[in-house]
Amino acid sequence: MDNRRGYLDLLEEILSNIPSTAQSIANSFVAEHRRLESCPIVTIASYDEAALIRSQAKPQMDSRSIKEVLEQANGIFSNRIFNNHPRFFGFIPSPTHPLTLLGDLLLASKNPHAGSWFQSSGPSAIETGLIRWLAELAGLPADTAGGLFVSGGSMANLVGLQTARDQMLGEEWEQRARGTIYVSQQTHSSISKGLRILGFSNKQVRKIKCDENFQMDCSDLERTIEQDKEAGLMPFLIVASCGTTNTSSIDPISNIHTIAKAQVPPLWVHVDGAFGASVLLSKSHAHLLKDLKHADSMSWDAHKWLFQTYGCGMALLRDRRHLLQSFATGAEYTRDAVDSGDFESPNFWNFGPELTRPARGMRLWFSLQVLGLDAVGEMIDHGFLLAETVEGELRKLDGWKIVSNAKMGIVCFRYEGTGKSVEEWDELNAKVSGICIRENKSAALTTKLDGRTVIRICAIHPEMSVEGMKEVVRSLDEVARELAAI
Ligand SMILES: Cc1ncc(COP(=O)(O)O)c(C=O)c1O
């Protein structure tokens, strides 16, 4: 006997409610976007509020109306940072373009299994074409380059690191145990996490010094590689950054490449471009990234400076065959989706860690098709202008020190006068950031550079005005002066 009567009635009710619910979500999304400037930037649930929310996690036995659950969800979501707020400058903000709502909805509505060509030939062909185009933009060789869409920069870095390990050290653990890796003091933490996942100990990782521009110091790099070789170790990988998180510095990739390839055997160069690689689409600054062409592998996040919602990054390889050598597996239950092996009709489950994967590239494709490259280029260029505005305004004011000048959307600075210890000035800068957050003026968080607390602004929101940016500086200055006078 078919017992689904209750379920089928419920399904019908849900189906009939989907259009109006989607409309209401879209309405509130658009309304929120239009008043984004006045929304609270940072809301963190209190201990008691979090306990209340936690108690709402467990589902009930009975079904509930979509409307009721949606209202509840909106309440829960109000406890978050608006990462897409024009005055949120922390970490790498996420100034998602409103179009992504539609791209995401479209992808969710089709939900292809983009692990295999068999299941997702249309979206996989787009992902292949996009990856090829992005790799070409980076200057990687068109006839060999390839890659795949992954969930973000950490995964893209992991794919690059694993490929490097497998190509350079092979499968034997004895050999892997002798391998040494070169990162800089400014390399993103996802690299050390990735190396740990891959079985490397911290003892195998060398943190190369940075110069005054927070770029890898190539003399220290060369010296350290030499020392390791003399000690019988196997240097095999250098990780360069194209847009560090702290200061958006680009390491001297060309020099690093020369050093890497002069070794016997040559070292692999992985470039972390999770943040910076999007500048390849800038109309006026793409030349800054001319040395990306030297990468053996690189990461690139579309959910950072390509305005996508979270969960969209790219791993690009100079030689796509290396991906298959690291990730391809087979099983009897996937035999009907067998890999053609020709890279024109790929099974992406053989290119990276995931079997089941969404066609993430379709969201990016949707946005780029609708917006066009001119608009995207301008949106990226605006980030340069915003950070430069901050630096220019601060330079007009007494007491502010630019610790790292405006580079690719990021600038770091510190208020420091006389009559207090450096530690007290550290504390004051942290307080300035905290007060501006509390008063909803801006969320410019702090970081440490050369051991000192600095305020860091990552300003990449295409809807943030130059005048608005000047106002942010004015309010930081006002708060700093008030605190300094106490
Ligand atoms: C330079 C850099 N690399 C890697 C990552 C990690 O990327 P994701 O957070 O997408 O995993 C970040 C994140 O901010 C980053 O700034």
Side-chain angles (χ1 to χ4, degrees):
M1 194 175 106
D2 189 338
N3 288 326
R4 297 173 308 149
R5 172 153 228 108
Y7 165 69
L8 291 177
D9 288 346
L10 177 62
L11 174 66
E12 190 41 49
E13 193 193 321
I14 288 172
L15 285 174
S16 63
N17 272 298
I18 282 180
S20 59
T21 310
Q23 182 70 59
S24 123
I25 292 174
N27 287 348
S28 71
F29 172 82
V30 170
E32 188 172 272
H33 196 86
R34 291 214 164 105
R35 61 177 163 78
L36 211 46
E37 284 268 1
S38 59
C39 287
I41 311 170
V42 175
T43 308
I44 301 173
S46 68
Y47 186 85
D48 289 344
E49 285 162 344
L52 186 67
I53 295 172
R54 213 174 295 117
S55 72
Q56 299 167 29
K58 196 174 154 202
Q60 303 167 8
M61 292 307 282
D62 291 335
S63 57
R64 298 170 63 198
S65 81
I66 295 181
K67 190 162 176 287
E68 183 188 317
V69 179
L70 189 59
E71 266 166 30
Q72 189 180 355
N74 282 330
I76 296 165
F77 277 122
S78 65
N79 293 285
R80 73 184 204 276
I81 287 185
F82 277 60
N83 294 292
N84 62 336
H85 196 292
R87 294 194 310 280
F88 178 68
F89 306 117
F91 314 117
I92 305 292
S94 171
T96 45
H97 195 277
L99 255 181
T100 55
L101 175 77
L102 300 182
D104 285 1
L105 182 62
L106 183 65
L107 180 58
S109 73
K110 311 291 181 194
N111 196 30
H113 183 309
S116 77
W117 181 261
F118 178 59
Q119 296 174 90
S120 179
S121 49
S124 289
I126 288 291
E127 288 198 313
T128 307
L130 268 182
I131 287 286
R132 229 167 258 182
W133 169 63
L134 295 170
E136 270 184 64
L137 276 182
L140 302 180
D143 51 337
T144 60
L148 84 162
F149 281 87
V150 290
S151 62
S154 303
M155 284 307 285
N157 282 333
L158 182 67
V159 167
L161 300 178
Q162 178 166 338
T163 315
R165 180 198 67 182
D166 296 349
Q167 289 302 314
M168 307 304 290
L169 298 178
E171 286 200 329
E172 301 304 326
W173 282 103
E174 292 78 9
Q175 181 94 321
R176 290 180 178 181
R178 288 173 53 221
T180 47
I181 303 111
Y182 304 84
V183 305
S184 91
Q185 289 166 333
Q186 291 294 326
T187 301
H188 190 264
S189 58
S190 60
I191 297 291
S192 53
K193 187 189 275 189
L195 291 170
R196 283 214 313 259
I197 293 171
L198 295 174
F200 294 105
S201 78
N202 288 341
K203 281 192 248 155
Q204 293 173 271
V205 183
R206 308 282 177 262
K207 272 200 177 170
I208 303 300
K209 276 197 297 214
C210 284
D211 62 18
E212 65 284 2
N213 293 315
F214 305 99
Q215 296 171 303
M216 189 185 278
D217 174 338
C218 284
S219 323
D220 192 34
L221 172 67
E222 255 185 314
R223 215 173 17 248
T224 313
I225 292 174
E226 264 330 298
Q227 280 167 2
D228 283 337
K229 283 189 348 199
E230 277 164 24
L233 298 169
M234 280 206 57
F236 77 97
L237 166 64
I238 306 173
V239 179
S241 299
C242 173
T244 56
T245 316
N246 265 339
T247 62
S248 208
S249 300
I250 304 177
D251 284 330
I253 298 171
S254 180
N255 291 350
I256 289 171
H257 171 258
T258 306
I259 293 168
K261 301 307 167 185
Q263 308 300 318
V264 185
L267 273 60
W268 184 283
V269 177
H270 174 79
V271 179
D272 179 352
F275 174 57
S278 295
V279 170
L280 286 168
L281 294 185
S282 142
K283 295 185 92 171
S284 52
H285 292 84
H287 62 276
L288 295 176
L289 273 55
K290 63 180 181 348
D291 292 335
L292 270 180
K293 62 175 183 279
H294 296 304
D296 292 305
S297 55
M298 61 175 275
S299 58
W300 182 347
D301 256 346
H303 66 208
K304 291 189 163 54
W305 212 351
L306 287 182
F307 315 106
Q308 299 301 297
T309 48
Y310 290 129
C312 194
M314 293 80 80
L316 303 179
L317 271 287
R318 169 170 293 277
D319 187 338
R320 58 196 176 216
R321 290 172 309 174
H322 294 155
L323 287 173
L324 287 181
Q325 286 155 14
S326 279
F327 294 103
T329 51
E332 58 280 14
Y333 37 80
T334 57
R335 64 190 294 275
D336 292 333
V338 72
D339 199 332
S340 68
D342 67 359
F343 295 105
E344 298 302 321
S345 47
N347 280 354
F348 281 119
W349 63 36
N350 283 334
F351 280 45
E354 295 169 305
L355 182 85
T356 305
R357 56 182 291 282
R360 302 179 173 96
M362 286 303 294
R363 303 142 113 198
L364 179 61
W365 174 84
F366 187 81
S367 293
L368 293 179
Q369 291 294 320
V370 175
L371 288 170
L373 291 178
D374 272 349
V376 175
E378 280 168 23
M379 287 156 73
I380 293 170
D381 283 339
H382 191 63
F384 283 79
L385 176 63
L386 294 177
E388 283 157 14
T389 302
V390 173
E391 179 179 341
E393 291 303 294
L394 286 169
R395 284 197 187 280
K396 292 181 201 160
L397 300 165
D398 291 338
W400 290 99
K401 182 176 166 209
I402 304 295
V403 182
S404 171
N405 60 348
K407 288 193 276 290
M408 301 209 297
I410 298 182
V411 56
C412 296
F413 47 90
R414 162 182 173 92
Y415 189 85
E416 191 173 323
T418 51
K420 291 186 197 292
S421 68
V422 280
E423 289 78 16
E424 284 168 329
W425 289 116
D426 279 351
E427 213 175 297
L428 180 138
N429 280 277
K431 274 191 189 155
V432 172
S433 157
I435 290 172
C436 287
I437 292 172
R438 262 203 315 282
E439 295 180 355
N440 208 40
K441 290 180 169 152
S442 63
L445 306 188
T446 60
T447 185
K448 290 260 183 193
L449 284 178
D450 292 333
R452 299 272 60 94
T453 302
V454 298
I455 300 176
R456 171 182 169 280
I457 279 189
C458 178
I460 55 173
H461 204 301
E463 290 161 52
M464 182 68 188
S465 67
V466 167
E467 200 34 59
M469 218 60 233
K470 290 182 181 173
E471 183 52 42
V472 165
V473 174
R474 274 196 290 275
S475 59
L476 287 167
D477 184 54
E478 212 176 277
V479 175
R481 273 172 216 291
E482 269 170 29
L483 289 176
I486 296 172

